[in-house]
Amino acid sequence: MASYKQPCIHCGTLVDRDVRFCPSCGSQSPFGYQCPSCLLPITKGQARCSGCGRPLYVICPHCGEQTFVQDTCEHCGGSMMVPCENKRCGVLQFFENTKCTACGKKIKPTLGKK
């Protein structure tokens, strides 16, 4: 019987190819990376998004190291995601986003503030 599952690129768990989230690690992009601003597919090592021009390497708000824009920091493993403040939405967003990619509500940066 053919398998319709493939490993999540973040945790390695085998998941169905038609899912939007990994059930194990919660990644919103289990089979590839997406630009956190415009959601265009990107590849690790790319310097800027070809769709919106956003830099794809940022400074982690937890450890201060440069890391690729993904769900967690490559160095310390800290989450780079914050929930949308809209109570009807709540979709996790990249910590530097200024508006939610799902509902469009403005987001106040909270991660990395003391």
Side-chain angles (χ1 to χ4, degrees):
M1 184 171 179
S3 172
Y4 295 100
K5 295 185 178 203
Q6 66 185 74
C8 169
I9 62 169
H10 305 286
C11 70
T13 301
L14 288 177
V15 293
D16 292 321
R17 283 193 256 174
D18 60 350
V19 301
R20 296 177 121 181
F21 298 91
C22 174
S24 293
C25 70
S27 171
Q28 295 181 19
S29 54
F31 309 120
Y33 298 103
Q34 294 177 320
C35 172
S37 297
C38 69
L39 304 180
L40 191 73
I42 57 174
T43 57
K44 206 165 191 176
Q46 222 178 307
R48 291 190 171 274
C49 173
S50 59
C52 66
R54 172 194 218 299
L56 297 178
Y57 283 88
V58 297
I59 302 300
C60 172
H62 303 290
C63 68
E65 295 288 327
Q66 187 174 20
T67 185
F68 186 69
V69 292
Q70 57 188 11
D71 295 350
T72 58
C73 174
E74 297 170 312
H75 303 282
C76 69
S79 176
M80 306 284 274
M81 308 300 278
V82 294
C84 173
E85 296 166 359
N86 182 348
K87 292 180 181 173
R88 293 182 184 174
C89 180
V91 172
L92 289 176
Q93 300 293 313
F94 193 70
F95 79 99
E96 286 187 339
N97 284 4
T98 56
K99 68 177 187 172
C100 177
T101 56
C103 73
K105 179 176 174 61
K106 287 188 179 182
I107 299 173
K108 296 176 201 147
T110 56
L111 201 56
K113 289 196 173 184
K114 306 246 184 296

